[in-house]
Amino acid sequence: MLTPDTLLGPYRIVAPIGAGGMGEVYRAQDTRLGRDVAVKVLSQNLSHDDEALRRFEQEARAVGMLNHPNIVAIYDVGTEGNLHYIVTELLDGESMRVRLRQGPVHARKATDYAVQVARGLAAAHEKGIIHRDLKPENLFLTRDGQVKILDFGLVKLMHPRIPGAESSSIDDHAPTLPVTPTEPGRILGTVGYMAPEQVRGEPGDHRSDIFAFGAILYEMLAAKPAFRGDSPIESLNAILKEEPKDLADVGVLVPAALERVIHHCLEKNPEERFQSARDLAFGLGSMSGLTSQSIPLVPRARRLGRRLSWKPIVAVLLLLGALAVAYFAGTRQGTAPPPGFQRLTFRAGTIFRARFSPDGETVFYGARWGGNPVAVYSLRPDSPESRDLGFGVADILSVSSTGQLAISLGRRPVGYLRDTGTLAQVAIAGGAPRAIAEDVEEADWTPDGSALAIVRTVDGHCRLEYPIGKVLYDTVGWISHMRFSPDGKAIAFLDHPFTNDDRGSVAVLDVGKPGKRALTEELQATQGLAWSPDGDELWFTADVSGSGHGRDVAAVERDGGDVRTVMRAPGWLWLHDVAPDGRLLLSQQSVRAGIFALLPNQEQERDLSWLDYSVVRDLSADGKTMVFSESGEAGGSIYGVYLRKLDGSAAIRLGEGTTEALSPDGKWVLSIPRDQKPAQIVLLPTGAGQPRQLTKDTINHRTARWFPDGQHVLFSGNEPDKPPRLWVQPLAGGAPRAITPPNVTGTVVTPDGKHVLGRTADRKFFLYPVDGGEPRPLPALQRGDVPVRFADDAQSVYVGTFGRIPAVLTRVNLTSGDRTVTREVMPSDPAGLINVGPVWPTPDGRTMVYSYTRLLSDLYLVRR
C-alpha cells in the first residue's frame, strides 16, 4: 500500500481508492497540470512477466488513443522502480455492480445506459480493440448519468482462476483469465458474462463483447444474472446450452423490442448475433419512445395467462371517440388545443443552443450548469437526466442529417450572447472531434450533411461564408442563428446592426445569388431562428410589439410579408429548433443584470442594482457617482439612462438610449439613442437643463467617451458601408475628425488628452496621437485585456476581462510592463452567470463598481 505524498513520476499519491486482481488504485494529483487523476499500480506478481508487461503497455497506449466519452480516458503509462502503473481520468460515481445491488434498473434508464456502452464498444472495435471481460464491475456510472467502460483490453494480464467445486459459494464476478489471451484451451472472461466460444477456450472476437453486453443488459432489467447455476461449472454449462428466461417470466415488463435486442445479443452462435456494436447501438436508438413512461410496458398477449376483458377496451374507445368529436367540433369553431409544454432540463444555469437529432428523438444542447464551463449534453424527452458528451469546454452548433455533430471547442465569449471557438466535427455515435476552422461563431450543415456554412469575424467584419472561405455577406454588426432552408437553396440568419445588442432583423440570402433580403423590419430584440417544417416560413423569437416586454415565437414567410405570432408565453422565449413533425425546442429565459459596489474600508459589497438589467457604464473620479444603462424590459424599447450616487440613494432617470460616459465635471452624460438612423450622440444634463444632440452627420455612432478637458468627445463609429474607427468631436460643434485608421476601437484617453489607446482588429494595442503622427505600440497590453481607465500615476492603466468569471481587474504599467492584479470579483451565486465585469475603479483604485449578467434557462419540448 502506497502512502500519501508518494511520487510515481509526476503523480503525487493522495489516497487509496480500492484494490482488485490487477493491483491497487489511488487518487493522485498530476503535479505538472494540477489535475486530479486515478493511478492504478499493477500487482507485484505481474511485474516480472516481460511479455505481459509489453502487451499491457502496448494495449494501454492503444486504448489511450480512443478518446471516446464512454471509455475511461488513459492519460499515461509509467514505471517507478519496480512499480508499473497506468494513469486514467478520475471518475465520480459508482460501478454498475453497486447500482445493481439496489435493484433493477428502469427500462428507460437501462436503455440509455446500454446505448452509451454500445457506442463505446463500437469506437473500440473499430480500432481493433476488444474488451474480453465486459461485466458490471467494468462499467462506471458517473454522477451526471454518463457510462464509462473501464479496463479495456487490460484484462489480458490477469492470471487464470480455474473454477473449482470445493466451495458451495460462487463468485460470478471473479476474473478467470489466462496469461496469453489467444492460447487455445484457456478460459477467457468472467463466469456469467463469457460468450460460448470463450467458455470453449476459443479466442473470441468483438462479438464476444456483444454477448457480454446482452448479459449485462438482461441483469440491469431483471436484477438477476442471465446465466447462473449452483456452481461456476453449472453457470458455464448454462451459457453453452440454456436460454435465459424471458423477462416476463421473472416478473419484469419491458417492450418486446427491447427483449428482442437482448436475445439477439445472447445467441449461442456468433454469426447470429449483432455483427457490430454500431449496429447494436443503432438498434437500441431506433426504439426511441418504446421505453417512455407514456407507453405502457406490457408483456406479449401469450404471457398473460388469461383473456383480456373487452369492457375496458370499449370504454377507452368510447372516450377516444368523444375526444375526437370535441376536438373537431372545436376546430370548426375556430379553436384549437393549446400547445403542450414538456420541460426537459431541471438544473440551474444557461442553455445556449439546442438541436434535435436526425430522428427527432434525442436532443443535443450546450449549457453552462451551476457556474461550470459550457459543455455539450444529450437527453431524451422521456428521461429527466442529461448526459455530458465529454467534449470539454464546448457548445453544439448543428446536427447533420447523416449523424454528424458540428461543435465549437474551447468556446469563449466575444460579446453579449456571442461566442467563438474552434469548429470541429464528430459523429453522434462518438469518437474524437476533428478540428475544421478557428474562431467560428456559428455553423450549420447543408440539408444533405455534406458541407458547412459558418459565421466568423475577420478584420472587424462579421461575415457569413459558404462554402468555408467564400464570403456571401459581411457586416460591421454581427450575425447570429444562421440556418439552411430544408431545400438547401437559402440561408437565413438574424442581422444585428450593433455589436453587444440583440436588436436586429430576420434576413435571408439565396445560395448562388448576390445580396441578402431583410424579411422583417428591425426588431427591438430577437434571438433564435428556425425554418418551418415545410420551409415556407421562418420562425423566430422576438419582441414583435416593440414594447420591450417579453419575446414571442413569430413567423414570416420566406419571401417576406407580415409577421404573425405563432405562440405567446410569459417571459422571454428562445427558439432553438423545429422538428419535421412540427415540435419545437424552446427555452424560457430569466435574465437579469445587476451592479455591485466595493467601497473603501467596507468588506461587504453594496448592491446598487436598480431595475431588471442594470449595466454600469462609468464611475466618477471621486468614486461618488456612477451612470448606468437599464436595457431590459423596464428600461423600455431604446433603454434608459440613469445616474445614481454610491451612497445608495435612489437612481435618477436622465433620458433614453445607451449610457456612455459621465463628464469630468459631472454635469453631462453622453447617450446614444438607438432609434435614430444613423445613431447620433446626445448630451443629457444631470441637473437642470435640456437634452442636446451633439452630432448630426452620416456616421453611425457606436460608443462615446469624454476627453479630460470636457470639451471634446472620443467616439467609435462608421460611415456608410465602411468599417468603424475612432473620431474626435468638439463639444462646441463642427465636423468630427478621424484620428485612427479603420478597424480600430477604443474608449480610453490619456490623462493629458494627447493620445488615445486603440486596439486593432488583430487585438494589438497602440497609442494614437490625437493631433496626428505615428502610433506607438503597447506591448505591455495583452490580447484579452479590456482597458477601462488610467490610474492616478498617469503611467498605468486599469484593464479588465471579458467573459472571465470571476472578473479580474489588473493594473498595467505601460512603460515597464509590470502587471498587478488589483481585485477579482463575482457574485456569490455562480449559477447562470454569463458575464461579470468589467470592473470600473477610481484612479486610486480604492472604489470599484462592476456589473454582472445572469441568464437562467429551462429547455422545453413544445407540441403544437
Side-chain angles (χ1 to χ4, degrees):
M1 180 71 70
L2 300 180
T3 59
D5 292 329
T6 299
L7 278 175
L8 296 180
Y11 307 103
R12 187 183 302 278
I13 299 299
V14 176
I17 295 176
M22 286 187 64
E24 299 158 347
V25 183
Y26 297 87
R27 183 189 187 100
Q29 185 179 54
D30 186 337
T31 58
R32 299 166 304 180
L33 303 177
R35 65 179 173 184
D36 290 334
V37 296
V39 174
K40 181 178 294 184
V41 180
L42 296 183
S43 297
Q44 290 289 326
N45 61 345
L46 296 176
S47 63
H48 304 295
D49 188 331
D50 292 339
E51 176 64 15
L53 289 175
R54 186 190 67 78
R55 289 175 176 272
F56 156 70
E57 187 168 326
Q58 182 182 45
E59 194 140 5
R61 296 192 188 281
V63 177
M65 296 171 58
L66 287 175
N67 189 24
H68 190 277
N70 297 120
I71 299 175
V72 66
I74 295 180
Y75 297 145
D76 197 3
V77 180
T79 302
E80 186 72 25
N82 62 348
L83 297 178
H84 300 269
Y85 62 89
I86 61 174
V87 183
T88 71
E89 63 178 312
L90 184 65
L91 302 175
D92 184 20
E94 62 185 9
S95 72
M96 180 65 76
R97 173 61 60 205
V98 173
R99 169 61 186 86
L100 289 178
R101 290 181 185 135
Q102 304 168 21
V105 181
H106 190 278
R108 181 183 64 251
K109 179 55 66 178
T111 303
D112 177 52
Y113 290 156
V115 169
Q116 295 185 57
V117 175
R119 288 172 177 168
L121 287 175
H125 291 171
E126 288 171 5
K127 296 290 186 180
I129 300 171
I130 305 169
H131 196 291
R132 294 186 175 90
D133 195 32
L134 199 64
K135 56 188 175 182
E137 286 79 0
N138 286 336
L139 299 180
F140 194 91
L141 310 179
T142 66
R143 296 197 183 279
D144 60 2
Q146 194 170 20
V147 182
K148 296 275 189 176
I149 306 176
L150 310 180
D151 288 346
F152 227 117
L154 306 186
V155 295
K156 293 180 179 181
L157 292 177
M158 293 184 177
H159 288 284
R161 180 183 74 84
I162 304 300
E166 66 275 10
S167 172
S168 59
S169 63
I170 174 174
D171 179 5
D172 284 345
H173 317 299
T176 58
L177 302 167
V179 174
T180 306
T182 56
E183 185 178 348
R186 296 280 190 162
I187 296 177
L188 178 65
T190 296
V191 173
Y193 305 97
M194 290 184 290
E197 58 271 22
Q198 291 175 289
V199 174
R200 291 190 293 267
E202 299 169 3
D205 57 20
H206 62 282
R207 295 169 297 184
S208 304
D209 284 350
I210 291 175
F211 187 94
F213 172 94
I216 295 171
L217 181 53
Y218 182 98
E219 190 169 351
M220 278 195 279
L221 296 166
K224 299 177 181 178
F227 305 98
R228 180 165 186 170
D230 294 333
S231 70
I233 297 298
E234 291 182 10
S235 294
L236 296 174
N237 188 60
I239 291 173
L240 289 172
K241 300 178 180 180
E242 298 178 10
E243 297 291 338
K245 292 182 179 180
D246 286 338
L247 289 168
D249 291 339
V250 295
V252 179
L253 307 182
V254 300
L258 181 57
E259 188 161 10
R260 284 195 297 270
V261 168
I262 295 172
H263 285 291
H264 194 26
C265 292
L266 296 177
E267 293 287 353
K268 307 297 184 187
N269 184 353
E271 299 295 332
E272 297 177 2
R273 297 175 204 148
F274 284 99
Q275 293 302 292
S276 75
R278 188 167 299 282
D279 290 344
L280 173 57
F282 181 82
L284 288 164
S286 67
M287 296 189 305
S288 56
L290 291 178
T291 56
S292 171
Q293 291 178 330
S294 62
I295 297 179
L297 304 180
V298 297
R300 293 184 289 267
R302 68 181 180 85
R303 301 288 183 191
L304 291 177
R306 61 183 178 88
R307 296 179 61 185
L308 294 173
S309 172
W310 58 270
K311 293 182 179 180
I313 297 176
V314 172
V316 170
L317 292 175
L318 290 174
L319 176 60
L320 290 175
L323 290 173
V325 171
Y327 172 79
F328 287 111
T331 301
R332 283 194 296 269
Q333 295 175 10
T335 62
F341 287 78
Q342 179 187 350
R343 186 174 174 181
L344 300 180
T345 59
F346 301 89
R347 299 173 66 183
T350 309
I351 296 170
F352 296 97
R353 287 171 178 78
R355 296 288 186 268
F356 283 110
S357 62
D359 64 2
E361 298 300 335
T362 299
V363 174
F364 299 93
Y365 70 92
R368 181 185 290 136
W369 293 131
N372 293 316
V374 61
V376 179
Y377 298 85
S378 69
L379 62 80
R380 297 179 68 81
D382 55 8
S383 173
E385 298 183 17
S386 299
R387 180 166 60 91
D388 187 340
L389 296 185
F391 300 131
V393 180
D395 196 3
I396 188 74
L397 297 180
S398 182
V399 181
S400 78
S401 59
T402 58
Q404 295 291 314
L405 303 180
I407 61 176
S408 178
L409 299 175
R411 197 71 169 167
R412 63 189 185 280
V414 292
Y416 172 68
L417 295 179
R418 185 178 173 193
D419 301 86
T420 190
T422 299
L423 173 64
Q425 173 183 346
V426 63
I428 288 177
R434 179 177 66 86
I436 297 175
E438 300 286 343
D439 295 324
V440 173
E441 300 175 33
E442 304 270 348
D444 196 41
W445 290 101
T446 55
D448 63 3
S450 63
L452 285 159
I454 67 170
V455 171
R456 58 181 165 186
T457 299
V458 178
D459 294 333
H461 284 247
C462 189
R463 62 194 203 184
L464 190 159
E465 301 177 11
Y466 174 70
I468 295 175
K470 181 179 180 181
V471 179
L472 300 185
Y473 174 68
D474 69 44
T475 174
V476 293
W478 59 294
I479 299 165
S480 71
H481 302 279
M482 174 192 60
R483 304 297 296 270
F484 268 101
S485 60
D487 59 13
K489 296 180 179 179
I491 303 175
F493 56 94
L494 298 181
D495 196 14
H496 306 279
F498 300 103
T499 57
N500 297 325
D501 192 329
D502 63 357
R503 71 181 59 236
S505 58
V506 178
V508 67
L509 57 85
D510 296 318
V511 176
K513 296 181 181 179
K516 63 101 179 179
R517 295 178 286 116
L519 303 185
T520 68
E521 60 183 9
E522 186 177 298
L523 303 165
Q524 299 299 335
T526 179
Q527 286 285 343
L529 178 73
W531 290 84
S532 63
D534 58 12
D536 291 339
E537 287 186 317
L538 280 158
W539 293 359
F540 56 97
T541 35
D543 176 11
V544 177
S545 66
S547 65
H549 303 303
R551 297 178 189 174
D552 304 327
V553 180
V556 64
E557 291 185 359
R558 183 170 181 161
D559 295 325
D562 294 336
V563 173
R564 69 180 183 90
T565 300
V566 176
M567 184 183 306
R568 270 191 189 133
W572 286 16
L573 299 179
W574 188 331
L575 176 65
H576 294 279
D577 204 5
V578 178
D581 60 4
R583 291 174 301 150
L584 278 64
L585 277 179
L586 281 174
S587 58
Q588 188 173 43
Q589 314 280 20
S590 173
V591 62
R592 294 192 67 85
I595 301 171
F596 281 114
L598 298 90
L599 305 179
N601 304 319
Q602 293 188 16
E603 293 296 327
Q604 186 73 24
E605 294 182 344
R606 176 173 292 175
D607 189 345
L608 294 178
S609 309
W610 188 241
L611 300 176
D612 64 324
Y613 210 97
S614 308
V615 179
V616 65
R617 296 290 295 147
D618 200 4
L619 175 66
S620 63
D622 61 7
K624 295 181 178 180
T625 307
M626 68 174 183
V627 289
F628 63 94
S629 285
E630 278 293 342
S631 48
E633 291 186 42
S637 60
I638 57 173
Y639 312 150
V641 180
Y642 284 80
L643 178 144
R644 191 176 191 186
K645 300 289 185 181
L646 267 63
D647 60 8
S649 55
I652 302 171
R653 185 181 177 104
L654 303 179
E656 296 180 331
T658 60
T659 309
E660 296 300 317
L662 179 65
S663 63
D665 61 8
K667 294 182 178 180
W668 297 93
V669 173
L670 298 174
S671 170
I672 303 179
R674 298 299 189 185
D675 59 343
Q676 299 184 40
K677 300 295 181 184
Q680 301 295 313
I681 300 174
V682 173
L683 293 168
L684 299 176
T686 60
Q690 296 298 315
R692 174 163 75 92
Q693 184 167 324
L694 177 62
T695 58
K696 296 179 181 179
D697 50 43
T698 60
I699 298 173
N700 189 33
H701 298 74
R702 296 173 174 274
T703 62
R705 309 299 292 178
W706 291 92
F707 273 77
D709 63 3
Q711 299 302 309
H712 296 81
V713 171
L714 169 73
F715 71 84
S716 171
N718 65 283
E719 297 173 291
D721 301 320
K722 294 183 179 180
R725 63 201 308 177
L726 296 181
W727 308 72
V728 173
Q729 172 67 54
L731 200 65
R737 177 170 55 88
I739 59 172
T740 70
N743 289 318
V744 174
T745 60
T747 59
V748 177
V749 183
T750 57
D752 60 9
K754 294 182 178 180
H755 294 81
V756 171
L757 199 160
R759 188 182 73 178
T760 59
D762 58 358
R763 296 178 177 266
K764 295 180 180 178
F765 291 90
F766 295 83
L767 278 178
Y768 291 89
V770 174
D771 294 330
E774 289 298 316
R776 177 163 65 90
L778 295 174
L781 295 179
Q782 301 173 358
R783 288 172 58 89
D785 288 339
V786 180
V788 178
R789 79 183 316 163
F790 270 87
D792 50 7
D793 65 357
Q795 299 296 317
S796 302
V797 65
Y798 289 106
V799 300
T801 54
F802 185 86
R804 176 172 171 178
I805 302 173
V808 179
L809 182 69
T810 304
R811 182 169 170 150
V812 182
N813 188 296
L814 297 181
T815 302
S816 67
D818 293 340
R819 302 175 69 90
T820 304
V821 174
T822 303
R823 192 80 180 232
E824 290 191 3
V825 298
M826 67 175 290
S828 58
D829 181 6
L833 291 177
I834 60 173
N835 188 54
V836 178
V839 184
W840 291 87
T842 53
D844 61 9
R846 298 184 66 228
T847 301
M848 303 177 191
V849 290
Y850 72 91
S851 299
Y852 67 89
T853 306
R854 190 187 307 277
L855 179 63
L856 296 172
S857 312
D858 293 311
L859 187 63
Y860 286 86
L861 178 66
V862 183
R863 296 177 174 86
R864 301 176 61 248

